[in-house]
Amino acid sequence: MTQVFVLCTGRCGSTTFAAACKQATNFTAAHESRTYRLGADRFAYPPNHIEVDNRLAWFTGKLDARFGAAPFYVHLSRDRAQTAASFATRLNHGLMKTYRSGILPNLLLREPQTPALAIAEDLVDTITANITLFLRDKPRVMQISLETITTDFPKFWNWIGAQGNLDAALATFATRHNATKP
C-alpha cells in the first residue's frame, strides 16, 4: 500500500495538482476528499492514493500517528507573496476567515486596522512552519514549487512510481483551477 500526502498552504495550485494526479492509473487521487470526516475516518484513505489537502497541515499529529514515515510526503508551495496576496482577497471566506476570526479571535478587536495582507502572510508562515516541522524527520519528502511545476511534476511522477499519461497530467497545469478572481 502506497500513500502520498501533499501538504500545502492552499492558494498554491493544490486543486490543479490533484487534477493532474488523476492521470495516474495506478493511484487514485483527490483534493480534500475527507474533510467532512472525524476521528480515524478522517484518515481512512484507500490504498495507493494521492491526497492533496491543505488542511492536513493542521492535523499533522494525527497524520503522523496513523501513517508515520511510510508515505511519500510532498510539500507543495508557491511564491509566498503571491500566496498571501491570494489569501488576502478572501478575508471573509474559508481558511482566511477562520484564521482571522477563530484562530486569532482578538486580533481585529484589538488591532482593527490590521491589513488583510499582514494576516494572510502570518497564515502562510504559520502553515509553512507546521509543514516544515512535520516533515523534518520523514525519509520520503519532496518539495514542489508551483513556479517550477513543469520540471518538478515529472520528478514527482517518477518518484512515486506513477503510471499513466504524464503528458495529459502536465497539460492539466495549463488550466488554472479554483483561481482567485481579480
Side-chain angles (χ1 to χ4, degrees), residues 2-7 14 17-33 45-53 56 71-74 144 153 156-157 159-163:
T2 302
Q3 299 290 354
V4 181
F5 293 108
V6 181
L7 292 86
S14 59
F17 193 93
C21 289
K22 290 182 180 185
Q23 295 298 322
T25 56
N26 58 329
F27 285 91
T28 58
H31 182 259
E32 302 175 359
S33 68
Y45 296 104
N48 301 319
H49 180 73
I50 303 166
E51 184 66 22
V52 185
D53 184 352
L56 289 174
F72 290 93
Y73 290 103
V74 174
I144 296 180
F153 193 83
F156 160 77
W157 188 270
W159 181 58
I160 66 168
Q163 299 169 1

Side-chain angles (χ1 to χ4, degrees), residues 6 8-20 31 52 76-78 83 86 145-146 149 153 172-173 175-179:
V6 181
C8 61
T9 59
R11 312 309 311 149
C12 62
S14 59
T15 303
T16 307
F17 193 93
H31 182 259
V52 185
L76 176 63
S77 64
R78 176 184 181 197
T83 305
S86 182
S145 172
L146 185 61
I149 197 70
F153 193 83
T172 304
F173 292 102
T175 302
R176 293 175 63 186
H177 298 81
N178 196 30

Side-chain angles (χ1 to χ4, degrees), residues 35 82 93 98 121 154 158 166 173:
T35 57
Q82 290 181 359
H93 178 73
T98 300
E121 288 170 341
N158 291 326
L166 176 58
F173 292 102

Side-chain angles (χ1 to χ4, degrees), residues 75-167:
H75 183 184
L76 176 63
S77 64
R78 176 184 181 197
D79 175 79
R80 176 185 181 267
Q82 290 181 359
T83 305
S86 182
F87 269 119
T89 66
R90 295 169 160 241
L91 189 62
N92 296 308
H93 178 73
L95 184 56
M96 192 55 182
K97 179 181 178 182
T98 300
Y99 191 71
R100 160 182 78 75
S101 61
I103 305 297
L104 305 172
N106 294 318
L107 175 67
L108 294 181
L109 290 173
R110 295 183 181 195
E111 301 288 337
Q113 280 72 36
T114 303
L117 184 59
I119 298 168
E121 288 170 341
D122 192 68
L123 169 67
V124 170
D125 292 345
T126 299
I127 296 171
T128 300
N130 288 347
I131 293 170
T132 300
L133 181 65
F134 173 71
L135 295 177
R136 79 183 185 282
D137 64 348
K138 302 297 184 275
R140 299 197 295 181
V141 173
M142 179 179 274
Q143 303 286 328
I144 296 180
S145 172
L146 185 61
E147 288 76 21
T148 55
I149 197 70
T150 57
T151 57
D152 289 351
F153 193 83
K155 292 175 189 173
F156 160 77
W157 188 270
N158 291 326
W159 181 58
I160 66 168
Q163 299 169 1
N165 192 336
L166 176 58
D167 290 335

